[in-house]
Amino acid sequence: MTEWEAVIGIETHVELQTKSKMFCGCLVDSGDEPNTAVCPVCLALPGALPVPNKEAIEGILSIGDALECTLIEDSLFYRKNYFYPDLPKNYQISQYTFPLCLDGRLAVDVDGEPTVVGITRVHMEEDTGKSTHIGVSGRIHGANHTLLDFNRAGVPLVEVVSEPDIRSPEQARAYGAELQRVVRTLGVSDARLEEGSMRFDVNVSVRPAGSDILGTRTEVKNVNSLRSMQRAIAYEITRQIEVLESGGSIHLETRHWDEAKGATRSGRTKEGSEDYRYFQDPDLLPLHIDEDWRKRVHARRPELPAAKRARYVALGADRSTADLLADAGDLAALFEAAVSAGADARTIGIWLTGEVVAYLRREDVTIDETGLSADSLVELAGMTGDGDLSATAAKEVLGGVLAGEGTPSQVAEARDLLQISDASTIETEVMAVLDQHPDAIEKIRNGDSKPIGFLVGQVMRATGGKADPRMVQDLIRRKTQA
Ligand code: ADP
Ligand code: MG
Ligand code: ZN
């Protein structure tokens, strides 16, 4: 039996959220009436000339910089020629040789297993218009007619091409998720998979484990969720292994993912790049990015998700908490404020990603709509640290603070949750319990520590659960020493 290894490379398209389109002044806004955000350039009327959009160039440079690419000083625009009704020019302006960014990397982590995925290139293109096929099928086959909306034609599009470094559906998903986080952190795109502002083409092949020759790949186009990507890849791996083991062979082809069937189906055989008759666009000059510009982009790089997660761990948050927090903008801000005011990072992290997230979901509110602030978190953490509140009571107080019942001390008092941490009160209670249980004391003195838990329980009962259990236990140990 051959052992198989999967090899996966991902092409990701990201629509940039610039003010205007890639080569004209038309506004980028998906909410417009069809065919209102159009002009001679993006409709390709004769004689109209493209002018590159600086904001879009900056956006792609910042993606390349975040992915640790080399930013290329002189890059070129090409024409990728093909006919399709949603493509008014009959070619797409794209990059081919000499793209803007080359040779980067993105680190991803699956269950604590780090992998670095190479980035082959990041290049600039423009989006096509949108076809709506009218008919029962909703697809081009079986449609009565098709409506075309060119508002999207010419919207700046970035393509991020990965090396075939990915080895499992889970790694692919982690790569997609991390790339989405990076793009969002840079603020260049909302990267919404369900709305198509980010989409994946996944290339999958298999080979005998240990081989360093690549197998023939198939390409699953336009996968529009992380879950679908993971499922489509898993399906392709199994399908390809079955084909190969039954003596068949894999053909380079485009396939489509059918979410309902949970299967890919064959599309067209894939064009080679020679079919597109790429040539340099004579309407556009080489794009020169001088060193100053490259440096400025790098200097503006915000803290990336991986760096943020590492910083939260260094502050004392648990790994899983740090991952969750770094993804949650408003919670992360609260976390940072509370921790820099001296609160314990681990406790704050657990509250925020536990009780607070659960509350927000349950009540369907945002953090601003609750009574929670960094100050109240600091106060609550202080009360817990001082033994005024048990861990369970702290969670209850947190619930009250979220619901707007007041500050932690107000809520704790109103709900009668404050622990007794006054030493003399606790001592009185402990002595009373010890008086009633001389037999337990005897056992402890003879080296059996089991009754300690029982005695602590008795004191907790006598105080209505409000004595600080650590203090109670310490005292019992001291008083029962021989
Ligand atoms: P095309 O546009 O023809 O699909 P690209 O070079 O843009 O070609 O993208 C190819 C993608 O396929 C890259 O992400 C690359 O890593 C991946 N890839 C190439 N060969 C293989 C292979 N044998 N198995 C899996 N992925 C592959
Ligand atoms: Mg491709
Ligand atoms: Zn236009």
Side-chain angles (χ1 to χ4, degrees), residues 355 359 362 394-405 411 415:
E355 273 65 39
Y359 180 88
R362 197 172 56 237
K395 289 184 182 170
E396 196 181 329
V397 172
L398 186 56
V401 173
L402 282 163
E405 291 170 23
V411 174
R415 295 196 182 190

Side-chain angles (χ1 to χ4, degrees), residues 401-447:
V401 173
L402 282 163
E405 291 170 23
T407 65
S409 46
Q410 286 165 345
V411 174
E413 231 165 277
R415 295 196 182 190
D416 196 21
L417 290 166
L418 286 172
Q419 285 192 143
I420 305 169
S421 56
D422 167 56
S424 68
T425 314
I426 289 184
E427 182 158 356
T428 313
E429 301 288 349
V430 166
M431 294 317 287
V433 166
L434 290 181
D435 274 352
Q436 290 161 23
H437 299 284
D439 47 331
I441 302 176
E442 190 62 30
K443 280 188 192 160
I444 297 169
R445 291 200 170 137
N446 288 330

Side-chain angles (χ1 to χ4, degrees), residues 86-88 127-131 148-154:
D86 62 14
L87 188 71
D127 215 340
T128 60
K130 208 178 201 160
S131 324
L148 289 165
D149 175 9
F150 292 108
N151 285 354
R152 201 181 64 182

Side-chain angles (χ1 to χ4, degrees), residues 21 23-27 37-43 150 153-154:
K21 292 187 182 179
F23 296 108
C24 63
C26 291
L27 293 184
V38 292
C39 75
V41 174
C42 54
L43 289 176
F150 292 108

